Amino acid sequence: MKAVDDIAVRAGRDGRPAEIASIGRERAVPIITNTAPLEYLYSKGLLQGKDDAGGAANRRLNAGQRLRSISEGAQISGLKAANLEGSSGGGIPGRLPGDYKMDCIRWLSELRGANQTPGLEQSPFSIVEDVVVHDVWLWEKVRADRRDRVIMRLLKALDELSVRFHMMTMRDFNARWYPARRPAEEQGSPDPSPNQQHSST
């Protein structure tokens, strides 16, 4: 118990006391949420908007954490964080660190726009990368009356990332962020791109 008390006294951000919350499946993983902006937003219920389908916060958290893992994998060297799953028990050997690193580098290149998903607007990837990878508290850098707008942009960016990770369909993405497109979808034109939508008006 003393160790937890010590963490609460010494940890935190900008002199604030630490906020310890359970994050993850069955809320089993304790996280000092005010040192990581993504987990902080999740613990405060800010990854789930009033117009979102149930479970959106969990999906956005998972998408962000997956991006963080890919970014960390792109930087590994030697045996650090090697992905050796399947290397024991006589099964197929896991990927060597160099192979895993190249996989992660290719993923980052694709996510940054080298290969865009058809019909999906260019993701403001830098927003997600700043929050998830670089731990930038974006909404604290703007006026108080604009913070909700910044967080909403982050939620949309996390949803775009979810589409790229196949955690969310394009149809669900459009239904959430472009509800005016629903009549076009019902007429047999699923998931129209923004350009198609504008050209038809």
Side-chain angles (χ1 to χ4, degrees):
M1 186 65 182
K2 186 176 186 301
V4 174
D5 292 339
D6 288 345
I7 289 175
V9 170
R10 290 181 292 173
R13 184 174 56 89
D14 298 334
R16 309 174 193 177
E19 295 180 8
I20 301 177
S22 296
I23 301 291
R25 181 167 299 189
E26 298 180 0
R27 306 185 68 81
V29 182
I31 295 287
I32 302 175
T33 58
N34 61 348
T35 63
L38 178 69
E39 283 75 9
Y40 172 84
L41 291 172
Y42 179 83
S43 71
K44 297 298 184 183
L46 296 174
L47 290 185
Q48 181 79 35
K50 62 182 179 63
D51 296 324
D52 293 326
N58 290 330
R59 174 179 46 73
R60 288 166 178 153
L61 176 69
N62 291 337
Q65 290 177 332
R66 183 173 179 188
L67 172 61
R68 184 183 292 152
S69 296
I70 291 171
S71 180
E72 290 172 352
Q75 300 171 26
I76 66 171
S77 59
L79 290 175
K80 180 182 178 183
N83 182 357
L84 300 177
E85 289 183 6
S87 60
S88 61
I92 299 174
R95 289 167 291 174
L96 295 174
D99 295 333
Y100 178 62
K101 179 174 181 175
M102 291 308 300
D103 285 346
C104 291
I105 290 172
R106 281 191 287 270
W107 254 115
L108 282 179
S109 176
E110 180 175 343
L111 292 170
R112 285 173 175 156
N115 298 294
Q116 297 184 28
T117 303
L120 187 67
E121 288 183 324
Q122 175 61 45
S123 172
F125 184 79
S126 61
I127 296 176
V128 181
E129 195 169 29
D130 281 348
V131 172
V132 171
V133 178
H134 304 300
D135 289 336
V136 178
W137 300 69
L138 289 178
W139 57 94
E140 293 190 350
K141 297 179 177 294
V142 299
R143 291 185 345 215
D145 61 340
R146 296 183 179 176
R147 288 179 182 174
D148 288 346
R149 189 182 310 171
V150 171
I151 291 175
M152 193 61 63
R153 287 178 61 201
L154 174 62
L155 297 187
K156 183 180 178 184
L158 285 168
D159 283 353
E160 293 184 359
L161 191 62
S162 296
V163 173
R164 295 176 187 272
F165 286 153
H166 304 288
M167 297 177 177
M168 184 182 197
T169 67
M170 275 297 305
R171 187 177 297 276
D172 288 342
F173 176 86
N174 284 339
R176 168 62 183 90
W177 296 104
Y178 303 104
R181 293 180 183 177
R182 288 175 183 168
E185 292 177 359
E186 292 169 1
Q187 294 171 6
S189 177
D191 304 332
S193 70
N195 291 335
Q196 291 173 328
Q197 180 69 15
H198 292 314
S199 63
S200 64
T201 56

Coordinates of all heavy atoms in Angstrom, one line a residue, residues 58-146:
N58 N -13.9 2.5 -26.1 CA -13.0 1.4 -26.0 C -12.3 1.2 -27.4 O -11.1 0.9 -27.4 CB -13.8 0.1 -25.7 CG -14.2 0.1 -24.2 OD1 -13.6 0.7 -23.4 ND2 -15.3 -0.6 -24.0
R59 N -13.1 1.3 -28.5 CA -12.5 1.2 -29.8 C -11.4 2.3 -30.0 O -10.3 2.0 -30.6 CB -13.6 1.2 -30.9 CG -13.0 1.2 -32.3 CD -14.1 1.3 -33.3 NE -15.1 2.2 -33.1 CZ -15.0 3.6 -33.2 NH1 -13.8 4.1 -33.6 NH2 -16.0 4.4 -33.0
R60 N -11.7 3.5 -29.7 CA -10.8 4.6 -29.9 C -9.5 4.4 -29.1 O -8.4 4.7 -29.5 CB -11.4 5.9 -29.6 CG -12.5 6.3 -30.6 CD -13.4 7.5 -30.2 NE -14.3 7.9 -31.2 CZ -15.5 8.4 -31.0 NH1 -15.8 8.7 -29.7 NH2 -16.3 8.8 -32.0
L61 N -9.7 3.9 -27.8 CA -8.5 3.6 -27.0 C -7.7 2.6 -27.6 O -6.5 2.7 -27.7 CB -9.0 3.2 -25.6 CG -7.9 2.8 -24.6 CD1 -7.1 4.0 -24.2 CD2 -8.5 2.1 -23.4
N62 N -8.3 1.5 -28.1 CA -7.6 0.4 -28.7 C -6.8 0.8 -30.0 O -5.7 0.5 -30.2 CB -8.5 -0.8 -29.0 CG -9.0 -1.5 -27.8 OD1 -8.4 -1.4 -26.7 ND2 -10.2 -2.1 -27.9
A63 N -7.5 1.7 -30.8 CA -6.9 2.2 -32.0 C -5.6 3.0 -31.7 O -4.6 2.9 -32.3 CB -7.9 3.0 -32.8
G64 N -5.8 3.9 -30.7 CA -4.7 4.7 -30.3 C -3.5 3.9 -29.7 O -2.3 4.1 -30.0
Q65 N -3.8 2.9 -28.9 CA -2.8 2.1 -28.3 C -2.1 1.2 -29.4 O -0.9 1.0 -29.3 CB -3.4 1.2 -27.2 CG -3.7 2.0 -26.0 CD -4.4 1.2 -24.9 OE1 -5.0 0.2 -25.2 NE2 -4.3 1.6 -23.6
R66 N -2.8 0.8 -30.4 CA -2.2 0.1 -31.5 C -1.3 1.0 -32.2 O -0.2 0.5 -32.6 CB -3.3 -0.5 -32.4 CG -2.7 -1.4 -33.5 CD -3.7 -2.0 -34.3 NE -3.1 -2.8 -35.4 CZ -3.8 -3.4 -36.4 NH1 -5.1 -3.3 -36.4 NH2 -3.2 -4.1 -37.3
L67 N -1.6 2.2 -32.5 CA -0.7 3.1 -33.2 C 0.5 3.3 -32.3 O 1.6 3.3 -32.9 CB -1.4 4.5 -33.4 CG -0.5 5.6 -33.9 CD1 0.1 5.2 -35.3 CD2 -1.2 6.9 -34.0
R68 N 0.4 3.4 -31.0 CA 1.5 3.6 -30.1 C 2.5 2.4 -30.3 O 3.7 2.6 -30.3 CB 1.1 3.8 -28.7 CG 2.2 4.1 -27.7 CD 1.7 4.1 -26.3 NE 0.8 5.3 -26.1 CZ -0.2 5.4 -25.2 NH1 -0.5 4.3 -24.5 NH2 -0.9 6.5 -25.1
S69 N 1.9 1.2 -30.3 CA 2.7 0.0 -30.4 C 3.5 0.0 -31.8 O 4.7 -0.4 -31.8 CB 1.9 -1.3 -30.3 OG 1.3 -1.4 -29.0
I70 N 2.8 0.4 -32.9 CA 3.4 0.4 -34.2 C 4.6 1.4 -34.2 O 5.7 1.2 -34.7 CB 2.4 0.8 -35.3 CG1 1.4 -0.4 -35.4 CG2 3.1 1.1 -36.6 CD1 0.2 -0.1 -36.3
S71 N 4.3 2.6 -33.6 CA 5.4 3.6 -33.5 C 6.6 3.2 -32.7 O 7.7 3.4 -33.1 CB 4.8 4.9 -32.9 OG 5.8 5.9 -32.9
E72 N 6.3 2.5 -31.6 CA 7.4 2.0 -30.8 C 8.2 0.9 -31.6 O 9.4 0.8 -31.5 CB 6.9 1.5 -29.5 CG 6.4 2.6 -28.5 CD 5.7 2.0 -27.3 OE1 5.5 0.8 -27.2 OE2 5.4 2.8 -26.4
G73 N 7.4 0.1 -32.3 CA 8.1 -1.0 -33.1 C 8.9 -0.5 -34.2 O 9.9 -1.1 -34.5
A74 N 8.6 0.7 -34.7 CA 9.4 1.3 -35.8 C 10.7 1.8 -35.3 O 11.6 2.1 -36.1 CB 8.6 2.4 -36.5
Q75 N 10.8 1.9 -34.0 CA 12.0 2.5 -33.4 C 12.9 1.5 -32.7 O 14.0 1.8 -32.2 CB 11.7 3.6 -32.4 CG 10.9 4.7 -33.0 CD 10.3 5.7 -32.0 OE1 10.9 5.8 -30.9 NE2 9.2 6.3 -32.3
I76 N 12.5 0.2 -32.7 CA 13.3 -0.8 -31.9 C 14.6 -1.0 -32.6 O 14.8 -0.8 -33.7 CB 12.5 -2.1 -31.8 CG1 12.3 -2.8 -33.1 CG2 11.2 -1.9 -31.1 CD1 11.8 -4.2 -33.0
S77 N 15.6 -1.5 -31.7 CA 16.9 -1.9 -32.2 C 17.3 -3.1 -31.5 O 17.0 -3.3 -30.3 CB 17.9 -0.8 -32.1 OG 18.0 -0.4 -30.7
G78 N 18.1 -3.9 -32.1 CA 18.5 -5.2 -31.5 C 17.3 -6.1 -31.1 O 16.4 -6.3 -31.9
L79 N 17.4 -6.6 -29.9 CA 16.3 -7.4 -29.4 C 15.3 -6.7 -28.6 O 14.4 -7.3 -28.1 CB 16.9 -8.6 -28.5 CG 17.8 -9.6 -29.3 CD1 18.4 -10.6 -28.3 CD2 16.9 -10.3 -30.3
K80 N 15.4 -5.4 -28.5 CA 14.4 -4.6 -27.8 C 13.0 -4.8 -28.4 O 12.8 -4.5 -29.5 CB 14.8 -3.2 -27.7 CG 13.8 -2.3 -26.9 CD 14.3 -0.8 -27.0 CE 13.3 0.0 -26.2 NZ 13.7 1.5 -26.3
A81 N 12.0 -5.2 -27.6 CA 10.6 -5.3 -28.0 C 10.5 -6.2 -29.2 O 9.6 -5.9 -30.0 CB 10.1 -3.9 -28.3
A82 N 11.3 -7.2 -29.4 CA 11.2 -8.1 -30.5 C 9.8 -8.8 -30.4 O 9.4 -9.2 -29.4 CB 12.3 -9.1 -30.5
N83 N 9.2 -9.0 -31.6 CA 8.0 -9.8 -31.7 C 8.4 -11.2 -32.0 O 8.5 -11.6 -33.2 CB 7.1 -9.2 -32.8 CG 5.8 -9.9 -32.8 OD1 5.5 -10.9 -32.2 ND2 4.9 -9.4 -33.7
L84 N 8.4 -12.1 -31.0 CA 8.8 -13.5 -31.2 C 7.7 -14.4 -30.9 O 7.9 -15.6 -30.5 CB 10.0 -13.8 -30.3 CG 11.3 -12.9 -30.6 CD1 12.4 -13.3 -29.6 CD2 11.8 -13.1 -32.0
E85 N 6.5 -14.0 -31.1 CA 5.3 -14.8 -30.9 C 5.4 -16.0 -31.8 O 5.7 -15.9 -33.0 CB 4.0 -14.1 -31.1 CG 3.7 -13.1 -30.0 CD 2.4 -12.4 -30.3 OE1 1.6 -12.8 -31.2 OE2 2.0 -11.4 -29.5
G86 N 5.1 -17.2 -31.3 CA 5.1 -18.4 -32.1 C 6.4 -19.0 -32.2 O 6.6 -20.0 -33.0
S87 N 7.5 -18.5 -31.5 CA 8.8 -19.1 -31.7 C 9.1 -20.3 -30.8 O 10.1 -20.9 -31.0 CB 9.8 -18.0 -31.4 OG 9.7 -17.5 -30.1
S88 N 8.2 -20.5 -29.9 CA 8.4 -21.7 -29.0 C 7.4 -22.8 -29.4 O 6.4 -22.6 -30.1 CB 8.1 -21.3 -27.5 OG 6.8 -20.8 -27.4
G89 N 7.8 -24.0 -28.9 CA 6.9 -25.2 -29.1 C 7.0 -25.8 -30.5 O 6.1 -26.5 -30.9
G90 N 8.0 -25.4 -31.2 CA 8.2 -26.0 -32.6 C 7.3 -25.4 -33.6 O 7.2 -26.0 -34.7
G91 N 6.6 -24.3 -33.3 CA 5.7 -23.7 -34.3 C 6.5 -22.8 -35.3 O 7.7 -22.8 -35.3
I92 N 5.8 -22.1 -36.1 CA 6.4 -21.1 -37.0 C 7.1 -20.1 -36.2 O 6.6 -19.5 -35.3 CB 5.3 -20.5 -37.9 CG1 4.6 -21.6 -38.7 CG2 6.0 -19.4 -38.8 CD1 3.5 -21.0 -39.5
P93 N 8.4 -19.8 -36.5 CA 9.1 -18.8 -35.7 C 8.6 -17.4 -35.9 O 8.0 -17.1 -37.0 CB 10.6 -18.9 -36.3 CG 10.4 -19.5 -37.7 CD 9.2 -20.4 -37.6
G94 N 8.7 -16.6 -34.9 CA 8.2 -15.2 -35.0 C 9.1 -14.4 -35.8 O 10.2 -14.8 -36.2
R95 N 8.7 -13.2 -36.1 CA 9.5 -12.3 -37.0 C 10.7 -11.8 -36.2 O 10.6 -11.5 -35.0 CB 8.6 -11.1 -37.4 CG 7.6 -11.5 -38.4 CD 6.6 -10.4 -38.7 NE 5.8 -10.2 -37.5 CZ 4.9 -9.3 -37.3 NH1 4.8 -8.3 -38.2 NH2 4.2 -9.2 -36.2
L96 N 11.8 -11.7 -36.8 CA 13.0 -11.2 -36.2 C 12.8 -9.7 -36.0 O 12.0 -9.1 -36.6 CB 14.2 -11.4 -37.1 CG 14.6 -12.9 -37.3 CD1 15.7 -13.1 -38.3 CD2 15.0 -13.5 -35.9
P97 N 13.6 -9.1 -35.0 CA 13.4 -7.7 -34.8 C 13.5 -6.8 -36.0 O 12.7 -5.9 -36.2 CB 14.6 -7.4 -33.8 CG 14.8 -8.6 -33.1 CD 14.6 -9.7 -34.1
G98 N 14.4 -7.1 -36.9 CA 14.5 -6.3 -38.2 C 13.3 -6.4 -39.0 O 12.8 -5.4 -39.6
D99 N 12.7 -7.6 -39.1 CA 11.5 -7.8 -39.9 C 10.3 -7.0 -39.3 O 9.5 -6.4 -39.9 CB 11.1 -9.2 -40.0 CG 12.2 -10.0 -40.8 OD1 12.8 -9.4 -41.7 OD2 12.3 -11.2 -40.6
Y100 N 10.2 -7.1 -37.9 CA 9.1 -6.5 -37.2 C 9.2 -5.0 -37.4 O 8.2 -4.3 -37.6 CB 9.1 -6.9 -35.8 CG 8.1 -6.2 -34.9 CD1 6.7 -6.4 -35.1 CD2 8.4 -5.4 -33.8 CE1 5.8 -5.8 -34.4 CE2 7.5 -4.8 -33.0 CZ 6.1 -5.0 -33.3 OH 5.2 -4.4 -32.5
K101 N 10.4 -4.5 -37.3 CA 10.7 -3.0 -37.4 C 10.2 -2.5 -38.8 O 9.6 -1.5 -38.9 CB 12.1 -2.7 -37.2 CG 12.4 -1.2 -37.3 CD 13.9 -0.9 -36.9 CE 14.2 0.6 -37.0 NZ 15.5 0.9 -36.5
M102 N 10.6 -3.3 -39.8 CA 10.2 -2.9 -41.2 C 8.7 -2.9 -41.4 O 8.1 -2.1 -42.1 CB 10.9 -3.8 -42.2 CG 12.4 -3.6 -42.3 SD 12.9 -1.8 -42.6 CE 12.1 -1.5 -44.1
D103 N 8.0 -3.9 -40.8 CA 6.6 -4.0 -40.8 C 6.0 -2.7 -40.2 O 5.0 -2.1 -40.8 CB 6.0 -5.2 -40.1 CG 6.2 -6.5 -40.8 OD1 6.6 -6.4 -42.0 OD2 6.1 -7.6 -40.2
C104 N 6.5 -2.3 -39.1 CA 6.0 -1.1 -38.4 C 6.3 0.2 -39.2 O 5.4 1.1 -39.3 CB 6.6 -1.0 -37.0 SG 6.0 -2.3 -35.9
I105 N 7.4 0.2 -39.8 CA 7.8 1.4 -40.6 C 6.8 1.5 -41.8 O 6.3 2.6 -42.2 CB 9.3 1.3 -41.1 CG1 10.2 1.6 -39.9 CG2 9.5 2.3 -42.2 CD1 11.7 1.3 -40.2
R106 N 6.5 0.3 -42.4 CA 5.6 0.3 -43.6 C 4.2 0.8 -43.1 O 3.5 1.5 -43.8 CB 5.5 -1.0 -44.2 CG 6.7 -1.3 -45.2 CD 6.5 -2.6 -46.0 NE 6.6 -3.8 -45.1 CZ 7.7 -4.5 -45.0 NH1 8.8 -4.0 -45.5 NH2 7.8 -5.5 -44.2
W107 N 3.8 0.3 -41.9 CA 2.5 0.7 -41.4 C 2.4 2.2 -41.2 O 1.5 2.9 -41.6 CB 2.2 0.0 -40.0 CG 1.2 -1.1 -40.0 CD1 1.5 -2.4 -39.8 CD2 -0.2 -0.9 -40.3 NE1 0.3 -3.1 -39.9 CE2 -0.7 -2.2 -40.2 CE3 -1.0 0.1 -40.6 CZ2 -2.1 -2.5 -40.4 CZ3 -2.4 -0.1 -40.8 CH2 -2.9 -1.4 -40.7
L108 N 3.5 2.8 -40.6 CA 3.5 4.2 -40.4 C 3.4 5.0 -41.7 O 2.8 6.0 -41.8 CB 4.7 4.6 -39.6 CG 4.7 4.4 -38.1 CD1 6.0 4.8 -37.4 CD2 3.6 5.1 -37.4
S109 N 4.2 4.5 -42.7 CA 4.1 5.2 -44.0 C 2.7 5.2 -44.6 O 2.3 6.2 -45.1 CB 5.1 4.5 -44.9 OG 5.0 5.0 -46.2
E110 N 2.0 4.1 -44.4 CA 0.7 4.0 -44.9 C -0.3 4.9 -44.2 O -1.1 5.6 -44.7 CB 0.2 2.5 -44.9 CG -1.2 2.3 -45.4 CD -1.7 0.9 -45.4 OE1 -0.8 0.0 -45.4 OE2 -2.9 0.7 -45.5
L111 N -0.1 4.9 -42.8 CA -1.0 5.7 -42.0 C -0.8 7.2 -42.2 O -1.7 7.9 -42.1 CB -0.8 5.3 -40.5 CG -1.2 3.9 -40.1 CD1 -0.8 3.6 -38.7 CD2 -2.8 3.8 -40.2
R112 N 0.4 7.5 -42.6 CA 0.7 8.9 -42.8 C 0.3 9.4 -44.2 O 0.5 10.5 -44.6 CB 2.2 9.2 -42.6 CG 2.6 9.2 -41.1 CD 4.1 9.3 -40.9 NE 4.4 9.4 -39.5 CZ 5.5 9.1 -39.0 NH1 6.5 8.6 -39.7 NH2 5.7 9.2 -37.7
G113 N -0.3 8.5 -45.0 CA -0.9 8.9 -46.3 C -0.3 8.4 -47.5 O -0.7 8.7 -48.6
A114 N 0.7 7.5 -47.4 CA 1.3 7.0 -48.6 C 0.3 6.1 -49.4 O 0.3 6.1 -50.6 CB 2.5 6.1 -48.3
N115 N -0.5 5.4 -48.7 CA -1.6 4.6 -49.3 C -2.9 4.9 -48.5 O -3.1 4.4 -47.5 CB -1.3 3.1 -49.2 CG 0.0 2.8 -49.9 OD1 0.1 2.9 -51.1 ND2 1.0 2.4 -49.2
Q116 N -3.7 5.8 -49.1 CA -5.0 6.2 -48.5 C -6.1 5.2 -48.7 O -6.2 4.6 -49.8 CB -5.4 7.6 -48.9 CG -4.4 8.6 -48.5 CD -4.9 10.0 -48.9 OE1 -6.1 10.2 -49.0 NE2 -4.0 10.9 -49.2
T117 N -7.0 5.0 -47.8 CA -8.1 4.2 -47.9 C -9.1 4.9 -48.9 O -9.5 6.1 -48.6 CB -8.8 3.9 -46.6 OG1 -7.9 3.3 -45.7 CG2 -10.0 3.0 -46.8
P118 N -9.5 4.3 -50.0 CA -10.5 4.9 -50.9 C -11.7 5.4 -50.2 O -12.3 4.7 -49.4 CB -10.8 3.8 -51.9 CG -9.6 2.9 -51.8 CD -9.2 2.9 -50.4
G119 N -12.1 6.6 -50.5 CA -13.3 7.2 -50.0 C -13.2 7.8 -48.6 O -14.1 8.4 -48.1
L120 N -12.0 7.7 -48.0 CA -11.7 8.3 -46.7 C -11.0 9.6 -46.8 O -9.9 9.6 -47.5 CB -11.0 7.3 -45.8 CG -10.8 7.6 -44.4 CD1 -12.1 7.6 -43.7 CD2 -9.9 6.7 -43.7
E121 N -11.4 10.6 -46.2 CA -10.7 11.9 -46.2 C -9.3 11.7 -45.6 O -9.1 10.8 -44.8 CB -11.5 12.9 -45.4 CG -12.7 13.4 -46.1 CD -13.4 14.5 -45.3 OE1 -13.4 14.4 -44.1 OE2 -14.0 15.4 -45.9
Q122 N -8.4 12.5 -46.0 CA -7.1 12.5 -45.5 C -7.2 12.7 -44.0 O -7.7 13.7 -43.5 CB -6.2 13.6 -46.1 CG -4.8 13.7 -45.4 CD -4.0 12.4 -45.6 OE1 -4.0 11.8 -46.6 NE2 -3.4 11.9 -44.5
S123 N -6.7 11.7 -43.2 CA -6.8 11.8 -41.7 C -5.8 12.9 -41.2 O -4.7 13.0 -41.6 CB -6.4 10.4 -41.1 OG -6.3 10.5 -39.7
P124 N -6.3 13.7 -40.2 CA -5.4 14.6 -39.6 C -4.5 13.8 -38.6 O -4.5 13.8 -37.4 CB -6.3 15.5 -38.8 CG -7.5 14.7 -38.6 CD -7.7 13.8 -39.8
F125 N -3.6 12.9 -39.3 CA -2.8 11.9 -38.5 C -2.0 12.6 -37.5 O -1.7 12.0 -36.4 CB -2.0 11.1 -39.5 CG -1.2 10.0 -38.9 CD1 -1.8 8.8 -38.6 CD2 0.1 10.2 -38.6 CE1 -1.1 7.8 -38.0 CE2 0.8 9.1 -38.0 CZ 0.2 7.9 -37.7
S126 N -1.5 13.8 -37.8 CA -0.6 14.4 -36.8 C -1.3 14.7 -35.5 O -0.6 14.7 -34.4 CB -0.1 15.8 -37.4 OG -1.1 16.7 -37.6
I127 N -2.6 14.9 -35.5 CA -3.3 15.1 -34.2 C -3.2 13.9 -33.4 O -2.9 13.9 -32.2 CB -4.8 15.4 -34.5 CG1 -4.9 16.8 -35.2 CG2 -5.6 15.5 -33.2 CD1 -6.4 17.1 -35.6
V128 N -3.5 12.7 -34.0 CA -3.5 11.4 -33.2 C -2.1 11.1 -32.8 O -1.8 10.7 -31.6 CB -4.0 10.3 -34.0 CG1 -4.0 9.0 -33.3 CG2 -5.5 10.6 -34.5
E129 N -1.1 11.3 -33.7 CA 0.3 11.0 -33.4 C 0.8 11.9 -32.2 O 1.5 11.4 -31.3 CB 1.1 11.2 -34.6 CG 2.5 10.6 -34.5 CD 3.2 10.6 -35.8 OE1 3.0 11.5 -36.7 OE2 4.0 9.7 -36.0
D130 N 0.4 13.2 -32.2 CA 0.8 14.1 -31.1 C 0.3 13.6 -29.8 O 1.0 13.5 -28.8 CB 0.3 15.5 -31.4 CG 1.2 16.2 -32.4 OD1 2.3 15.7 -32.7 OD2 0.8 17.3 -32.8
V131 N -1.0 13.2 -29.7 CA -1.6 12.8 -28.5 C -1.1 11.5 -28.0 O -0.8 11.3 -26.9 CB -3.2 12.8 -28.6 CG1 -3.8 12.2 -27.4 CG2 -3.7 14.3 -28.8
V132 N -1.1 10.5 -29.0 CA -0.9 9.1 -28.6 C 0.6 8.8 -28.5 O 1.0 8.1 -27.5 CB -1.5 8.2 -29.7 CG1 -1.1 6.7 -29.4 CG2 -3.0 8.3 -29.6
V133 N 1.4 9.3 -29.4 CA 2.8 8.9 -29.4 C 3.7 9.9 -28.6 O 4.6 9.6 -27.9 CB 3.3 8.8 -30.9 CG1 4.8 8.5 -30.9 CG2 2.5 7.8 -31.6
H134 N 3.4 11.2 -28.8 CA 4.2 12.3 -28.2 C 3.7 12.8 -26.9 O 4.3 13.7 -26.3 CB 4.5 13.4 -29.2 CG 5.1 12.9 -30.5 ND1 6.3 12.3 -30.6 CD2 4.6 13.0 -31.8 CE1 6.6 12.0 -31.9 NE2 5.5 12.4 -32.6
D135 N 2.5 12.3 -26.5 CA 1.9 12.7 -25.2 C 1.7 14.3 -25.2 O 2.0 14.9 -24.2 CB 2.7 12.2 -24.0 CG 2.6 10.7 -23.9 OD1 1.6 10.2 -24.3 OD2 3.5 10.1 -23.2
V136 N 1.2 14.8 -26.2 CA 0.9 16.3 -26.3 C -0.6 16.5 -25.8 O -1.5 15.9 -26.4 CB 1.1 16.9 -27.7 CG1 0.7 18.3 -27.7 CG2 2.6 16.6 -28.1
W137 N -0.8 17.4 -24.9 CA -2.1 17.7 -24.4 C -2.7 18.8 -25.2 O -2.7 20.0 -24.8 CB -2.0 18.0 -22.9 CG -1.5 16.9 -22.1 CD1 -0.2 16.5 -22.1 CD2 -2.2 16.1 -21.1 NE1 -0.1 15.4 -21.2 CE2 -1.3 15.2 -20.6 CE3 -3.5 16.1 -20.7 CZ2 -1.7 14.2 -19.7 CZ3 -3.9 15.1 -19.8 CH2 -3.0 14.2 -19.3
L138 N -3.1 18.5 -26.4 CA -3.5 19.5 -27.4 C -4.6 20.5 -26.9 O -4.5 21.7 -27.2 CB -4.0 18.8 -28.7 CG -3.0 18.1 -29.5 CD1 -3.7 17.4 -30.7 CD2 -1.9 19.0 -30.0
W139 N -5.6 20.0 -26.2 CA -6.7 20.8 -25.8 C -6.2 21.8 -24.7 O -7.0 22.8 -24.5 CB -7.8 20.0 -25.3 CG -7.5 19.1 -24.1 CD1 -7.6 19.3 -22.8 CD2 -6.9 17.8 -24.2 NE1 -7.2 18.3 -22.1 CE2 -6.8 17.3 -22.9 CE3 -6.6 16.9 -25.3 CZ2 -6.2 16.0 -22.6 CZ3 -6.1 15.7 -25.0 CH2 -5.9 15.2 -23.7
E140 N -5.1 21.6 -24.1 CA -4.6 22.6 -23.1 C -3.9 23.8 -23.8 O -3.5 24.7 -23.1 CB -3.7 21.9 -22.1 CG -4.5 20.9 -21.2 CD -3.7 20.4 -20.0 OE1 -2.5 20.7 -20.0 OE2 -4.3 19.8 -19.2
K141 N -3.6 23.7 -25.1 CA -2.9 24.7 -25.8 C -3.9 25.7 -26.5 O -3.4 26.6 -27.2 CB -2.0 24.1 -26.9 CG -0.9 23.2 -26.3 CD -0.1 22.6 -27.4 CE 1.1 21.7 -26.8 NZ 2.0 22.5 -26.0
V142 N -5.2 25.5 -26.3 CA -6.1 26.4 -26.9 C -7.0 27.1 -25.8 O -7.0 26.7 -24.7 CB -7.0 25.7 -27.9 CG1 -6.2 25.1 -29.0 CG2 -7.8 24.6 -27.2
R143 N -7.8 28.1 -26.2 CA -8.7 28.7 -25.3 C -9.7 27.8 -24.8 O -10.1 26.8 -25.5 CB -9.4 29.9 -26.0 CG -8.4 31.1 -26.3 CD -9.1 32.3 -26.9 NE -10.5 32.1 -27.3 CZ -11.0 32.7 -28.4 NH1 -10.3 33.5 -29.1 NH2 -12.2 32.5 -28.8
A144 N -10.2 28.0 -23.6 CA -11.1 27.1 -23.0 C -12.4 26.9 -23.8 O -12.9 25.8 -23.9 CB -11.5 27.6 -21.6
D145 N -12.8 27.9 -24.5 CA -14.1 27.8 -25.3 C -13.9 27.0 -26.6 O -14.8 26.7 -27.3 CB -14.7 29.2 -25.6 CG -13.7 30.0 -26.4 OD1 -12.5 29.8 -26.4 OD2 -14.2 31.0 -27.1
R146 N -12.6 26.6 -26.9 CA -12.3 25.9 -28.1 C -11.9 24.4 -27.8 O -11.6 23.7 -28.7 CB -11.2 26.6 -28.9 CG -11.7 27.9 -29.5 CD -10.6 28.5 -30.3 NE -11.0 29.8 -30.9 CZ -10.2 30.6 -31.6 NH1 -9.0 30.2 -31.9 NH2 -10.6 31.7 -32.1

